[in-house]
C-alpha cells in the first residue's frame, strides 16, 4: 500500500525497479496498475513470487503475487491517510516536508505460506552487496533493524541471528527496501503520525496463532513511542513491516499541520473491507507556517502541579498541533518555585492547543501573544561512519550549512544494535559530516 501510494503521488516506478534489480532477487518482481477499491481509484502494487529465490535455504517459496504494503522532489509536506481505519500522519516542518496518514499495511493472508527463511545477517549481506545509494541503505536498515530488535527481544536471541520467517521473504524485502528507495527519492526532511490502526483478533504465523496486534508490531511501536488505535476491524491492519515503515519514517507523532495540498496519491490494499475503501492516501503539500512566520505563543504560570504530569501535557500539546512546547522554572508570589509552560502553534489551531493546556495542567487561564520566527532551510545528508551510514540534519542559511546534527532516533537505533554508547555513535556521525564538508 505504501509503495502504491508513493507511486501514485509521483515517485517514479523505475526508482524501485532499479533497486530490486540491484538486490539480485530476480527481475520483473513488481507489477503496478491502477484499480478501484470501492469507489476510490488507487495504485495497486503486486510483488511477483513465482520465480525461484536465488538464495534459498531449503524452506521453499510460494507461487503467487502479493499486494500490500509526487510530481517532484522535496514537497514541503506529504500527508497520507488510510481511509476509515488508520489515522497516521507523517509530516516535516520545512522543505521536503512529508506527512503519512493511515499506514494500514494489510496483507490479506495468513503469515504461514512457506516463505524462505533468512537471518538478519543474510539480509544485511543482500543489502550491502547491492550497491544502493546511502540514503536508501540507511532507511532500509532502520526499518529492518526495528523488526530485528523486536523479534530478538521476543525470542531471546541476538539481533543478527533473528530468523525472518515473514519479513525475510521476497515480498517484504521488496516492501521495505522499495519503500526506503521511494522515500529516499522523495527526501522528506521530517515526518509525523497521530496514530496507527492495528485491528484485533488473531493471526496465524510461523510461531503459531498470535493475537492481533502482532507482538512484533507492538514492540516496534512501543520503542518508537507510536500511538495505536484499534480501527474497528477484526483483522490485522498493521503488520510488523508496516509498523517498521512508520517507526522509521515518523519523527513526531502529531496530527497533520495546516498546509496547502499540492498532489495526492492513493495506494490500494489487498483486502476488500466491508465498510470502507482499503486505501492509503498520501498528500504532498506546503506548510502554512513555512509561508508566513507568524505563530501564536500560549503560556501559563503553574505552581501547584506535580512535575510527573509535565511530560504528558507537553505530548498532548504536540499532538494537538503545537510546533514547540517547553517548560521554564520561575518564581511566583510568596517566592514559590513554579513552572511556566509555553507552546507555539499556528493561529488556526491556537485555541485547540490552549484547550489542551487547560485540560492537562492545573492552570485556570492561559495568555496569548503573536510571535514571528525565522526557520532555516533544512536537508538530510547521509554520512558513512564506523557504525554504518547515518543521517545528519543540516540547516542552511543562504544555501550555506551553518548547523549539522545527527538524527537522534537513527543514532539511538544503531547504538542499541551495536551495544555501544549513544554518544559514540553521535560523535562519529558529527565527525564524518565535518570530514565530508571541510570546505
Amino acid at each position: 500500500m505504501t509503495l502504491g501510494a508513493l507511486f501514485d503521488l509521483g515517485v517514479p516506478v523505475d526508482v524501485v525497479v532499479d533497486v530490486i534489480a540491484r538486490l539480485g532477487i530476480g527481475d520483473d518482481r513488481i507489477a503496478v496498475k491502477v484499480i478501484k477499491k470501492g469507489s476510490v481509484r488507487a495504485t495497486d502494487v503486486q510483488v511477483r513470487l513465482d520465480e525461484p529465490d536465488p538464495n534459498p535455504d531449503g524452506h521453499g517459496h510460494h507461487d503467487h503475487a502479493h499486494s500490500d504494503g509526487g510530481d517532484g522532489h522535496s514537497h514541503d509536506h506529504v500527508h497520507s491517510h488510510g481511509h476509515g481505519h488508520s489515522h497516521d500522519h507523517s509530516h516535516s516542518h520545512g522543505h521536503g516536508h512529508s506527512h503519512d496518514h493511515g499506514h494500514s499495511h494489510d496483507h490479506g493472508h495468513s503469515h504461514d505460506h512457506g516463505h524462505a527463511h533468512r537471518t538478519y545477517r543474510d539480509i544485511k549481506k543482500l543489502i550491502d552487496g547491492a550497491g544502493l545509494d546511502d540514503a536508501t541503505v540507511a532507511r532500509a536498515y532502520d526499518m529492518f533493524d526495528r523488526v530485528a530488535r523486536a523479534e530478538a527481544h521476543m525470542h531471546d536471541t541476538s539481533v543478527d541471528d533473528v530468523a525472518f520467517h515473514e519479513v525475510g521473504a521476497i515480498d517484504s524485502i521488496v516492501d521495505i527496501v522499495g519503500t526506503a528507495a521511494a522515500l529516499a527519492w522523495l527526501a522528506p526532511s521530517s515526518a509525523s503520525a497521530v496514530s496507527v490502526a492495528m485491528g484485533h483478533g488473531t493471526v496465524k504465523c510461523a510461531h503459531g496463532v498470535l493475537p492481533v496486534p502482532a507482538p512484533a508490531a507492538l514492540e516496534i511501536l512501543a520503542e518508537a513511542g507510536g500511538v495505536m488505535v484499534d480501527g474497528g476491524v477484526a483483522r490485522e491492519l498493521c503488520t510488523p513491516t508496516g509498523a517498521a515503515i512508520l517507526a522509521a519514517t515518523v519523527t513526531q507523532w502529531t496530527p497533520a499541520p495546516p498546509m496547502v495540498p499540492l498532489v495526492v496519491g492513493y495506494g490500494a490494499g489487498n483486502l476488500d473491507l466491508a465498510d470502507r475503501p482499503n486505501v492509503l492516501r498520501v498528500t504532498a503539500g506546503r506548510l502554512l507556517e513555512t509561508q508566513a512566520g507568524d505563530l501564536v505563543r500560549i503560556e501559563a504560570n503553574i505552581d501547584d502541579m506535580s512535575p510527573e504530569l509535565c511530560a504528558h501535557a507537553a505530548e498532548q500539546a504536540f499532538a494537538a498541533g503545537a510546533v514547540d512546547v517547553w517548560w521554564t522554572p520561575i518564581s511566583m508570589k510568596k517566592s514559590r518555585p513554579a513552572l511556566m509552560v509555553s507552546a507555539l502553534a499556528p493561529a488556526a489551531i491556537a485555541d485547540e492547543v490552549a484547550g489542551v493546556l487547560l485540560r492537562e495542567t492545573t492552570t485556570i487561564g492561559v495568555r496569548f501573544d503573536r510571535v514571528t520566527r525565522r526557520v532555516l532551510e533544512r536537508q538530510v545528508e547521509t554520512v558513512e561512519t564506523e557504525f554504518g551510514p547515518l543521517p545528519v540534519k543540516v540547516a542552511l542559511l543562504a544555501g550555506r550549512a551553518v548547523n549539522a546534527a545527527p538524527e537522534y532516533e537513527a543514532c539511538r537505533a544503531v547504538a542499541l544494535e551495536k551495544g555501544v554508547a549513544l554518544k559514540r555513535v553521535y560523535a562519529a556521525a558529527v565527525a564524518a559530516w565535518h570530514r565530508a564538508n571541510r570546505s
Side-chain angles (χ1 to χ4, degrees):
M1 294 179 75
T2 308
L3 280 175
L6 292 173
F7 288 156
D8 204 40
L9 186 72
V11 175
V13 175
D14 287 347
V15 169
V16 173
V17 171
D18 178 66
V19 164
I20 295 171
R22 289 172 179 268
L23 287 172
I25 57 175
D27 297 329
D28 196 26
R29 280 293 185 186
I30 65 171
V32 182
K33 63 181 179 180
V34 174
I35 65 172
K36 290 188 72 174
K37 298 297 289 187
S39 60
V40 177
R41 171 202 170 279
T43 296
D44 176 66
V45 177
Q46 297 280 333
V47 181
R48 296 189 177 98
L49 302 179
D50 53 356
E51 296 178 18
D53 181 355
N55 299 296
D57 64 358
H59 292 281
H61 65 284
H62 74 173
D63 303 322
H64 76 267
H66 169 80
S67 80
D68 215 299
D71 55 357
H73 283 72
S74 295
H75 283 301
D76 286 339
H77 189 89
V78 180
H79 170 92
S80 75
H81 178 97
H83 273 265
H85 57 264
S86 201
H87 290 272
D88 313 315
H89 296 271
S90 314
H91 69 268
S92 69
H93 298 282
H95 294 295
H97 193 98
S98 159
H99 182 95
D100 296 334
H101 180 176
H103 276 272
S104 53
H105 209 79
D106 308 328
H107 285 266
H109 56 74
S110 298
H111 291 184
D112 64 343
H113 29 316
H115 288 307
H117 297 192
R118 285 184 175 88
T119 65
Y120 189 32
R121 186 181 293 106
D122 297 330
I123 293 174
K124 286 180 177 179
K125 290 178 181 177
L126 191 69
I127 295 173
D128 289 342
L132 306 179
D133 65 273
D134 292 344
T136 297
V137 171
R139 287 182 179 275
Y141 270 147
D142 194 358
M143 295 172 194
F144 269 120
D145 283 349
R146 293 172 187 274
V147 183
R149 289 196 300 272
E151 294 284 353
H153 175 74
M154 287 193 309
H155 304 301
D156 194 23
T157 185
S158 69
V159 169
D160 277 348
D161 290 328
V162 166
F164 284 84
H165 305 293
E166 284 78 43
V167 180
I170 291 292
D171 54 350
S172 291
I173 291 176
V174 172
D175 282 348
I176 287 180
V177 183
T179 298
L183 289 170
W185 183 90
L186 193 62
S189 63
S190 63
S192 77
V194 65
S195 65
V196 53
M198 307 297 288
H200 59 269
T202 60
V203 62
K204 185 179 179 183
C205 70
H207 303 294
V209 177
L210 295 177
V212 172
L218 278 179
E219 288 279 345
I220 292 165
L221 281 184
E223 182 189 78
V227 180
M228 58 171 279
V229 295
D230 177 79
V233 177
R235 297 296 299 262
E236 182 182 34
L237 296 180
C238 181
T239 67
T241 301
I245 289 172
L246 272 178
T249 305
V250 171
T251 56
Q252 195 171 350
W253 294 82
T254 60
M259 69 173 186
V260 177
L262 299 177
V263 62
V264 182
Y266 290 87
N270 194 43
L271 285 176
D272 290 320
L273 302 176
D275 62 341
R276 67 201 73 178
N278 186 21
V279 297
L280 171 68
R281 184 176 69 196
V282 181
T283 305
R286 181 164 290 112
L287 288 175
L288 290 177
E289 65 179 77
T290 304
Q291 297 175 334
D294 289 341
L295 297 171
V296 175
R297 178 167 55 199
I298 309 109
E299 291 184 337
N301 296 350
I302 304 169
D303 65 358
D304 60 348
M305 189 174 89
S306 169
E308 293 177 329
L309 304 178
C310 292
H312 179 73
E315 289 170 359
Q316 293 304 300
F318 276 123
V323 299
D324 203 359
V325 182
W326 67 96
W327 297 86
T328 307
I330 60 173
S331 179
M332 291 178 61
K333 60 185 179 182
K334 300 182 181 180
S335 298
R336 292 176 184 166
L339 292 171
M340 178 172 65
V341 60
S342 304
L344 289 181
I349 57 171
D351 286 341
E352 184 175 348
V353 174
V356 169
L357 297 184
L358 290 168
R359 288 194 305 271
E360 297 292 347
T361 73
T362 58
T363 188
I364 57 174
V366 297
R367 55 187 177 270
F368 300 85
D369 64 312
R370 284 191 173 272
V371 298
T372 299
R373 73 170 185 167
R374 181 180 180 184
V375 180
L376 293 176
E377 180 184 353
R378 284 167 287 180
Q379 65 185 30
V380 176
E381 299 178 6
T382 301
V383 297
E384 288 295 332
T385 74
E386 62 185 291
F387 304 107
L390 289 170
V392 175
K393 184 178 291 184
V394 181
L396 305 173
L397 179 62
R400 187 178 184 87
V402 293
N403 287 304
E407 292 282 13
Y408 168 78
E409 289 294 346
C411 290
R412 178 175 178 269
V414 169
L416 290 172
E417 178 194 351
K418 304 292 185 182
V420 299
L422 174 58
K423 62 183 180 181
R424 281 189 57 196
V425 179
Y426 198 90
V430 172
W433 185 86
H434 281 289
R435 285 195 301 270
N437 294 273
R438 293 180 189 273
S439 60

